[in-house]
Amino acid sequence: MANLHILTNPIYAGVYAFGRTGSRVSIDAGRKKVVRGFKKERKDWEVLIPSHHEGYLTWAAYERNLGLIADNANGKNPMSRGALRRGEALLAGRLRCGHCGRKLHVAYSGTDGNTGRYHCRGGFLNHGGDRCISFGGMRVDRDIGAEVIVRLQPLV
């Protein structure tokens, strides 16, 4: 988590920023409740001084990194790629449905619980209907794994 704080801090790119987070005050059961640390939009930051000092990387590289970090977040945006998930399936978190574009999920079964099946829940989530697609993962994982091994061989 500490690495994420470093990578998302503008100071890493040579930019001084102040007021990136704020607090909200509300009344809960007759008592004052203060919630601190909610992130503000960049346009709402109090101070932003580009080229304040020498950074470890350029502002463009910093913003690209922010985009990659956001794209790797799971559950934040249904169209983001998301980070790889745990499990035996080789392509978990890497496949998308050809019908609705959502990420395919993996369900495990079998005697050891390690046989994966890729499926899309888009139709169910959108309309309460059946899954868009569903297929066994053993053959797909085997064929993709074999192709990766072929591609990793040294060129002759």
Side-chain angles (χ1 to χ4, degrees), residues 6-33:
I6 292 170
L7 294 174
T8 58
N9 193 323
I11 206 138
Y12 186 59
V15 175
Y16 177 78
F18 179 79
R20 296 185 308 139
T21 61
S23 54
R24 293 185 178 120
V25 179
S26 62
I27 305 297
D28 186 21
R31 297 183 66 103
K32 176 178 154 181
K33 180 178 177 185

Side-chain angles (χ1 to χ4, degrees), residues 93-143:
R94 293 286 183 206
L95 298 178
R96 288 203 173 263
C97 177
H99 297 279
C100 70
R102 283 190 163 86
K103 284 194 296 186
L104 295 183
H105 295 265
V106 182
Y108 294 97
S109 61
T111 55
D112 296 329
N114 60 358
T115 304
R117 181 168 191 80
Y118 298 99
H119 66 276
C120 176
R121 298 189 299 189
F124 177 76
L125 294 172
N126 287 337
H127 315 292
D130 293 332
R131 296 178 174 131
C132 294
I133 59 173
S134 178
F135 56 92
M138 288 178 67
R139 266 187 257 150
V140 172
D141 287 355
R142 182 193 65 222
D143 292 347

Side-chain angles (χ1 to χ4, degrees), residues 14-17 47-53:
V15 175
Y16 177 78
V47 178
L48 182 66
I49 304 173
S51 302
H52 180 264
H53 58 276

